[in-house]
Amino acid sequence: QRFGATTISLVLDAFKDLGFKYATQAGITISKNDVVVPPSKPEILGRYELSDFEDRAIPREELPDLKALETQTMEEAAVHVRLKATGEDRYVILRSAPICNAAGQLEGVVSVWHDISALELTKRELQLNVALLAATCEASPAGVLLVSPEQRVISFNRRFVTLWKLGFEVLD
């Protein structure tokens, strides 16, 4: 309401290339009617908590939107979002780009959140499975040596080294 339909259209038009690229990847379409702005800043900021993927708080000045305003370039960060209302965890790539008026003066910033929760959760599950496999291999009473199709040593357990009387450096 503050900027009016014309300014919003100009902002979305300036944003369309970036938005189109990521919206296309996500299989969505963005139009002016899709833009929803809550009535107050506290209402926006009070909905979620942000941290990095290791659950460390991200200082506000390190978030892409403020960095984009400061550097006047597109900025991005991988962010863990916890929705306060539900406690749901989401993982996103947050990209922010400065918006300038026709005279080239900085007017604000527009941000896109690309949800990568499925990818991040799959990655964490894979890391757990790799750790379990390594622990199982090490606990085996048999000597285990894993070799790639290119004949590179991938992994081995201590029992293999003991059985064959090899030094660890030989297999590394």
Side-chain angles (χ1 to χ4, degrees), residues 17-37:
D17 291 335
L18 174 68
F20 179 75
K21 177 181 176 186
Y22 296 108
T24 302
Q25 288 176 353
I28 60 173
T29 311
I30 300 172
S31 74
K32 182 182 91 162
N33 294 333
D34 293 327
V35 177
V36 177
V37 180

Side-chain angles (χ1 to χ4, degrees), residues 82-158:
R82 178 162 291 129
L83 303 175
K84 289 183 178 178
T86 63
E88 179 183 6
D89 289 318
R90 306 302 293 172
Y91 298 91
V92 301
I93 299 293
L94 176 55
R95 292 181 178 95
S96 298
I99 301 297
C100 298
N101 61 23
Q105 297 169 318
L106 184 64
E107 289 283 331
V109 67
V110 65
S111 296
V112 175
W113 297 47
H114 182 73
D115 191 333
I116 58 165
S117 296
L119 177 66
E120 181 61 23
L121 295 174
T122 300
K123 180 180 132 191
R124 288 173 184 233
E125 189 175 305
L126 180 60
Q127 288 171 334
L128 175 62
N129 287 338
V130 167
L132 290 172
L133 183 59
T136 302
C137 178
E138 189 57 43
S140 173
V144 178
L145 174 67
L146 300 173
V147 180
S148 74
E150 296 82 26
Q151 300 184 350
R152 287 190 325 236
V153 173
I154 297 173
S155 184
F156 56 90
N157 66 1
R158 290 180 206 180

